Amino acid sequence: MSLQRMLKLLYALVLCVSANEDFDWTKNERGSFYYGTFPTGFSWGAGGSAYQTEGAWDKDGKGMSIWDVFAHKKGKIFLNDTADHSCEGYYKFKDDITLMKDMKFNHYRFSISWPRIFPNGIKADHINEKGIKYYDDLINMLLDNNITPIVTLYHWDLPQVLHEKYGGWQNASMVNYFNDFANLCFERFGDRVKYWITFNNPWSSAVEGYETGEHAPGLKLKGTGAYKAAHHIIKAHAKVWHTYDTQWRSKQKGLVGISLLADWGEPVDITNQRDIEAAERYVQFYMGWFATPIFNGDYPQVMKDYIGKKSAQQGLGTSRLPVFSSQEKTYIKGTCDFLGIGHFTTRYITQKNYPSGRGNSYFTDRDLVELVDPRWPDPGSEWLYSVPWGFRRLLNFVKTQYGNPMIYVTENGVSEKVQRCTDLCDEWRMQYFKDYINEMLKALKDGVNVKGYTAWSLLDKFEWDEGFSERFGLFYVDFLNKNKPRYPKASVQYYKRIISSNGFPNQREVQSVKPLNHMEMVTEIVVPTVCTLCILLAAVFLMFLLRGRF
Ligand code: NOJ
């Protein structure tokens, strides 16, 4: 979470409180708990990504990525940390698979580092066989342990050479370079990998990489950079899907999807049409930006309208939002075998009633204000408030907007600040998992087609511009120790229990992690048991009475 975003939220909160004094913060309180299990075959796992966990940044022929270079610049990352070593996952993946096996994971989500395979980004230049061997070994060992690999092709680590030579995702040539990389991965790993994710959270790559500059490559091309990057990313995704479809699908029988991150946006006032539209706009500018072209063939109408209108007001001849030709629309539409969803948090949204003085940008294009309820728990990252009910709403939104696609939750979890987790007792994370997974279960009962859940993340790891200061892991990693030992947090046992029960079959399964206190014992065991006995006795008594009568 950047200072900029923190200030924005604070600003939004102050605005809201002054503008909506009668706003009822108590609405949407947590709903009731839903006991039940997931369908047989539901896939449980956890994830990580190459730059965040592998380390070995310059080993065995790996080239530089934009993140290697960005993190080495002073002042870009909290405490000037880098992921040069991080969890040393490159060397310790066998130990990590042992941890996963013990937790009885069905799948593990990881990403392939493009510059580890093509050090200069380009196939014709050089293929690094040592890099290929690393992923071969990782995939083989996962499969030997009955853990399905879910593989992301792009988790933000563009080869630096492509950035220097062409401007990275600002340039249309990335489409073919990425397709070459993906094609090689299909060729070399596709006999064993059946779940491919083209891009992880392209929203971040576009907005934080090319608009705010908080992420690599750190460009601040306000109002245009993010839209251009996203345009090329969407085309690259579609091209890779077609490559798989035409060249590999019949042989390899796998699936190709994309992983989109989205917060849920809830209208501040659910009876106010302008707030309802602002909240919808928030989600459309977030997830819809990528999902709508991929499922429906073009950008969301609301994005075309808003960015078009603003561009005209700025005296521009054309919209800052690029346009797909009709051929491209047909080519892009339907290029998703499953949708990966990354979800962490929710915002209240209200219409912005005054023009922004901050010039044109992705953020001002949306004409809305983001708010948070100060009472929402936020144990770790400043931006991450625990609002489980938002997850169910987001999943239902996906179901209705995109024709009930097959969904894998590719990221969901919560962090803690370094100081909090000294005794590995992360009860807030257990609560977060319990509540969010329960909302996912409710969404399943609503008819949402969720097939799997990926806890984010397996290990504490490099958290981008926040360095190592925010820990998302189920396992604590001691980064100060050269061997990077892993220690299970309490949530490991808890998640393990959810996996082995395939959900929440009864009260005891859920609560036995923590002993019941006296009051809970009375309300949750004694009272229901006595009530059930009374009802049974009454029924028997009634039966006797009725029998005597007739
Ligand atoms: C989404 C990113 O994909 C992931 O790499 C990151 O760790 C989480 N957000 C948490 O910030």
Side-chain angles (χ1 to χ4, degrees):
M1 172 83 174
S2 66
L3 184 65
Q4 197 183 351
R5 196 159 175 201
M6 272 170 64
L7 287 174
K8 201 178 70 202
L9 276 177
L10 199 68
Y11 166 73
L13 184 61
V14 170
L15 258 180
C16 171
V17 171
S18 56
N20 296 282
E21 268 159 19
D22 54 352
F23 177 61
D24 177 12
W25 290 114
T26 61
K27 71 180 182 174
N28 285 316
E29 286 285 49
R30 275 176 47 207
S32 56
F33 197 80
Y34 184 94
Y35 291 95
T37 51
F38 286 82
T40 318
F42 190 85
S43 193
W44 297 100
S49 81
Y51 184 69
Q52 291 181 283
T53 60
E54 280 177 6
W57 71 298
D58 58 352
K59 294 288 180 294
D60 289 346
K62 176 181 165 292
M64 293 299 100
S65 80
I66 52 174
W67 269 97
D68 291 312
V69 174
F70 186 73
H72 278 107
K73 287 187 187 149
K74 291 274 165 284
K76 300 293 181 191
I77 311 292
F78 184 71
L79 296 181
N80 290 319
D81 273 327
T82 72
D84 291 359
H85 304 286
S86 192
C87 313
E88 301 281 24
Y90 187 73
Y91 303 106
K92 294 184 69 101
F93 73 92
K94 290 185 182 149
D95 298 351
D96 292 338
I97 294 176
T98 307
L99 303 177
M100 296 178 215
K101 192 179 175 194
D102 176 63
M103 292 184 76
K104 303 224 162 36
F105 280 4
N106 306 109
H107 70 260
Y108 176 56
R109 179 184 174 218
F110 65 92
S111 76
I112 297 183
S113 155
W114 182 350
R116 204 180 278 292
I117 304 289
F118 296 168
N120 298 327
I122 295 171
K123 187 178 177 190
D125 276 9
H126 177 54
I127 301 177
N128 181 27
E129 289 298 333
K130 284 192 178 163
I132 294 196
K133 181 172 182 314
Y134 164 67
Y135 294 109
D136 262 337
D137 291 348
L138 170 60
I139 292 164
N140 290 342
M141 188 165 172
L142 284 169
L143 291 173
D144 287 347
N145 288 284
N146 286 323
I147 300 169
T148 303
I150 297 187
V151 180
T152 307
L153 292 164
Y154 187 82
H155 204 123
W156 308 353
D157 43 0
L158 184 80
Q160 173 69 8
V161 174
L162 295 182
H163 173 66
E164 282 171 12
K165 273 197 184 161
Y166 306 102
W169 290 108
Q170 291 302 295
N171 192 302
S173 64
M174 288 311 104
V175 176
N176 285 336
Y177 291 132
F178 181 63
N179 185 59
D180 288 346
F181 165 61
N183 200 19
L184 185 99
C185 291
F186 297 151
E187 183 190 326
R188 304 293 285 268
F189 309 122
D191 55 336
R192 289 152 292 151
V193 173
K194 304 300 164 191
Y195 293 87
W196 293 102
I197 292 168
T198 54
F199 287 89
N200 172 71
N201 184 8
W203 183 93
S204 259
S205 298
V207 173
E208 295 175 297
Y210 296 92
E211 169 99 21
T212 66
E214 292 159 285
H215 281 189
L219 300 186
K220 295 180 183 163
L221 309 168
K222 291 231 164 88
T224 55
Y227 297 133
K228 212 175 191 184
H231 201 65
H232 296 141
I233 287 175
I234 294 166
K235 287 188 190 180
H237 160 82
K239 179 144 192 169
V240 166
W241 185 89
H242 281 286
T243 297
Y244 191 81
D245 201 45
T246 52
Q247 296 182 38
W248 302 104
R249 192 188 294 281
S250 59
K251 267 179 267 168
Q252 299 185 346
K253 306 204 166 20
L255 300 173
V256 178
I258 188 166
S259 175
L260 303 179
L261 187 114
D263 297 353
W264 176 243
E266 182 75 5
V268 162
D269 176 356
I270 47 167
T271 63
N272 178 335
Q273 190 56 26
R274 281 155 62 82
D275 280 2
I276 294 171
E277 283 169 19
E280 159 105 22
R281 227 164 34 245
Y282 177 76
V283 183
Q284 293 294 3
F285 267 75
Y286 216 139
M287 166 177 272
W289 183 6
F290 300 90
T292 317
I294 289 169
F295 286 99
N296 304 338
D298 200 1
Y299 288 120
Q301 191 58 43
V302 74
M303 284 187 81
K304 294 198 280 186
D305 291 348
Y306 269 68
I307 303 163
K309 186 182 72 190
K310 300 236 169 189
S311 305
Q313 284 165 0
Q314 288 149 7
L316 301 171
T318 52
S319 174
R320 285 181 280 103
L321 183 70
V323 175
F324 291 119
S325 71
S326 53
Q327 251 182 339
E328 286 169 343
K329 287 180 195 169
T330 321
Y331 185 75
I332 292 165
K333 184 174 173 176
T335 55
C336 207
D337 303 324
F338 67 91
L339 179 62
I341 292 184
H343 176 75
F344 292 88
T345 193
T346 283
R347 292 286 178 270
Y348 279 117
I349 305 294
T350 187
Q351 164 77 26
K352 189 181 220 161
N353 294 319
Y354 50 90
S356 162
R358 286 188 295 156
N360 57 355
S361 80
Y362 162 86
F363 293 101
T364 52
D365 281 341
R366 304 173 308 170
D367 271 354
L368 55 84
V369 180
E370 294 177 39
L371 308 157
V372 296
D373 181 339
R375 294 170 313 176
W376 286 340
D378 62 335
S381 313
E382 307 286 351
W383 53 270
L384 207 173
Y385 295 82
S386 175
V387 194
W389 50 262
F391 192 22
R392 181 182 184 182
R393 292 183 195 211
L394 180 75
L395 290 168
N396 272 283
F397 175 89
V398 169
K399 175 185 162 216
T400 48
Q401 290 269 317
Y402 311 120
N404 204 8
M406 184 200 290
I407 293 174
Y408 278 83
V409 173
T410 41
E411 286 185 25
N412 178 244
V414 67
S415 55
E416 71 258 359
K417 288 280 179 200
V418 183
Q419 301 87 328
R420 274 198 72 147
C421 190
T422 45
D423 56 358
L424 306 174
C425 187
D426 55 348
E427 77 285 349
W428 68 91
R429 182 172 286 108
M430 294 194 263
Q431 190 67 48
Y432 182 99
F433 280 138
K434 175 180 169 186
D435 293 340
Y436 272 75
I437 292 173
N438 199 246
E439 291 299 315
M440 176 174 68
L441 180 61
K442 291 180 193 167
L444 233 108
K445 304 290 169 198
D446 299 334
V448 180
N449 189 13
V450 192
K451 296 288 189 197
Y453 175 86
T454 313
W456 196 260
S457 45
L458 179 72
L459 305 175
D460 289 341
K461 57 191 174 356
F462 183 81
E463 193 46 46
W464 309 111
D465 50 324
E466 300 298 342
F468 294 101
S469 65
E470 294 178 7
R471 293 172 173 266
F472 277 84
L474 287 158
F475 287 87
Y476 180 92
V477 178
D478 180 359
F479 294 108
L480 298 177
N481 183 325
K482 208 164 163 276
N483 294 322
K484 316 291 175 189
R486 285 84 159 118
Y487 301 100
K489 302 180 191 173
S491 53
V492 166
Q493 282 310 317
Y494 188 67
Y495 187 40
K496 201 170 157 180
R497 183 177 292 269
I498 292 179
I499 295 175
S500 66
S501 320
N502 199 25
F504 312 98
N506 57 51
Q507 299 200 17
R508 227 169 259 180
E509 286 293 351
V510 184
Q511 281 158 351
S512 52
V513 170
K514 183 173 90 185
L516 295 184
N517 64 30
H518 179 71
M519 201 54 209
E520 284 167 340
M521 192 82 108
V522 172
T523 57
E524 291 171 25
I525 295 184
V526 180
V527 173
T529 313
V530 170
C531 286
T532 314
L533 275 176
C534 287
I535 291 167
L536 274 175
L537 279 174
V540 172
F541 184 65
L542 207 70
M543 252 173 53
F544 275 115
L545 263 186
L546 291 175
R547 274 213 184 145
R549 252 200 185 178
F550 301 105

